[in-house]
Each structure stands twice: as C-alpha cells, then as structure tokens.
Amino acid sequence: MGSKRLPAFNHSNNNDNREKKPKRKEILEKKKAIDDLIKAASADKHPLDSFPSFRHFHKNGLSVYLESGCGDKLSSSTKQYIMGLLKANMEGPYGSEWPTEEKVKRKEMVMPEARYIFVHEAPNASSDEILTMSERKETLTVCLENRGSMVGFVQYRFTLEEEIPVLYVYELQLEPHVQAKGLGKFLMQLIELIARKNRMGAVVLTVQKANLLAMDFYLNKLRYIISTISPSRVDPLIGDEKSYEILCKAFDCEAEAIFKV
C-alpha cells in the first residue's frame, strides 16, 4: 500500500482547519443552548402559574382543578394512586407486556425529572356556576386545602429527541367517569402551551397500538402524526412487530424536518 498523500500546499490545509473550527464551535454552542433550555424548563416547579385559566375545568357536568408536582416529591398515597390507575387503564392495552412495563413505569414515576399535572375533583362545586376571578381563586384555595379526590394525571418530561428539545408526555391517565367530557383535550392544550412557553420544538408521546381510543384521540381529534422516529416509519418490517407508535406535534421548522418529513 502507498503512503498517504500530503496536500500540495500547507496553507490550504490551514484554511480548511480555520473553516472547520467555527462549525465545531457553533455545534457546541447550540448543544449548550439546548441543555440550558431543558434545565430552565425543568426548573419551573409551578407551570400552572403561567396559565391561570387552565387551573380549573368546568364543563359537561364536570368540575375539576389542577395541581402540579414532581416525581421525587410524591407522597406514598399518590404513588399508590398513580400505579393503581395505570394498572386499571393500561394492563389491557399492554397485554402480556404489562408485568415488565409496570416495573418500568414504577421507576419512571419517581424520577426527579418527572413532572406532573394532577387532576382533582372540586368539592361541592357545580360546573354550571359562573365564577368571578376572585371566586375562582377562593375556590382553588378551598380545593387545595380540602384536596378533592384525584381523578387523573399527566406525567411529562423535558428532554432531547434526535437533538431536538421536546416535551415528552409519558402518561395521560383519567378515570373512566371523567373521560369523554373534553378534559383530555383540555389537558393536552395545556401541555402544548407549556411546551411552547419553554421553547420546546415539539410534543412527543408513545401510544399502544391496541389502545384504539387513544390512537383516535391523538391522531384525529388533536391532529398529532406518527413521527419519523416511530418504529413503523423507521422500518415497516420492524414496526409491525412493535406494539406502539410514537406520535408528535412539531412547533418549528427544525422539529418538523426531523419528526414529520
């Protein structure tokens, strides 16, 4: 084998190096900016403060209020409630995979980066009542003190997917008697607002194919799409063997180029 050929002029190589350095610097600066973005988003322990109109949901005979939380601050009773509702709602769609998934979800539940929106029924409140702003604040105070029964939750994280900062919805779980009343859509609208406020490129989530109601809800009612990172789009043959799809809604051109094209 011959030796590696050297360039004819050294100054050309030096020019190439000078051109490459800014590119590497730009990559590192972008990475740091994204890391800082995710850290700042995760540091906000009270996301509902930015969206006061989303603290309550009064519609279709249902009256609930929302409260935020963190994975490493959950009480024992809240952990039991989360796993109980997950088992009730998801054991069927997961089928034989559930015992393994249950262990995974138990670990994910308490991770420090896990963020929650908890849904509580408002005690002694009628969804037909028209409340003033001061009355709403008063109702919220009473609700937080009395802690009406929990009827669902959203679990999410700020993370990276394909080098894009995203809000990843790990769970959206509601008890049967509060479903089909517009609450799920309301919660996802809030999640999208939180994502946009924190300059995330997209909302991403995973749905079991067997969960037909959830697939219809996200794809048809909320206009999410099956992402390019979903197994069925990465490789249809492998995708057929997988029990889930990864869905997304992108908010900027860069995220669309990665997740939608």
Side-chain angles (χ1 to χ4, degrees), residues 43-191:
D44 183 5
K45 301 298 192 296
H46 304 285
L48 291 171
D49 289 351
S50 300
F51 307 103
S53 62
F54 278 83
R55 285 185 171 274
H56 297 85
F57 177 85
H58 299 274
K59 194 175 179 182
N60 298 326
L62 182 63
S63 183
V64 301
Y65 71 96
L66 309 185
E67 183 183 18
S68 56
C70 299
D72 56 352
K73 304 292 183 184
L74 302 178
S75 66
S76 295
S77 59
T78 299
K79 292 175 190 176
Q80 289 176 0
Y81 175 82
I82 289 172
M83 291 310 302
L85 186 56
L86 277 168
K87 182 179 176 66
N89 286 353
M90 301 308 298
E91 188 174 18
Y94 274 107
S96 61
E97 296 177 6
W98 175 247
T100 300
E101 286 297 325
E102 186 176 25
K103 292 176 184 177
V104 172
K105 291 180 182 298
R106 197 176 293 278
K107 290 179 181 178
E108 290 175 345
M109 172 180 67
V110 295
M111 296 296 286
E113 58 268 33
R115 295 289 173 269
Y116 286 88
I117 301 295
F118 295 113
V119 185
H120 296 264
E121 282 188 313
N124 304 319
S126 168
S127 62
D128 297 324
E129 290 176 350
I130 300 176
L131 303 177
T132 65
M133 184 59 71
S134 62
E135 286 173 332
R136 284 183 181 275
K137 288 180 180 177
E138 196 173 302
T139 300
L140 177 63
T141 301
V142 171
C143 288
L144 289 173
E145 288 175 351
N146 294 342
R147 290 190 177 276
S149 300
M150 198 182 298
V151 293
F153 67 93
V154 184
Q155 182 196 148
Y156 65 96
R157 293 188 198 180
F158 298 103
T159 186
L160 273 181
E161 283 290 333
E162 302 295 316
E163 303 305 315
I164 300 291
V166 304
L167 186 157
Y168 207 115
V169 178
Y170 275 59
E171 304 291 346
L172 168 53
Q173 301 294 339
L174 298 175
E175 294 195 21
H177 74 280
V178 300
Q179 294 178 15
K181 295 178 181 291
L183 178 56
K185 184 177 181 180
F186 178 81
L187 289 169
M188 286 305 297
Q189 287 173 334
L190 171 60
I191 287 296

Side-chain angles (χ1 to χ4, degrees), residues 212-251:
L212 299 179
L213 288 176
M215 289 292 287
D216 178 68
F217 172 69
Y218 289 112
L219 293 175
N220 298 321
K221 294 182 180 177
L222 298 185
R223 302 298 180 188
Y224 278 67
I225 65 162
I226 297 175
S227 173
T228 53
I229 64 173
S230 190
S232 66
R233 293 197 62 189
V234 172
D235 186 333
L237 292 177
I238 295 175
D240 285 343
E241 298 173 0
K242 298 295 183 180
S243 62
Y244 64 90
E245 295 282 11
I246 298 174
L247 311 185
C248 75
K249 181 179 285 189
F251 302 133

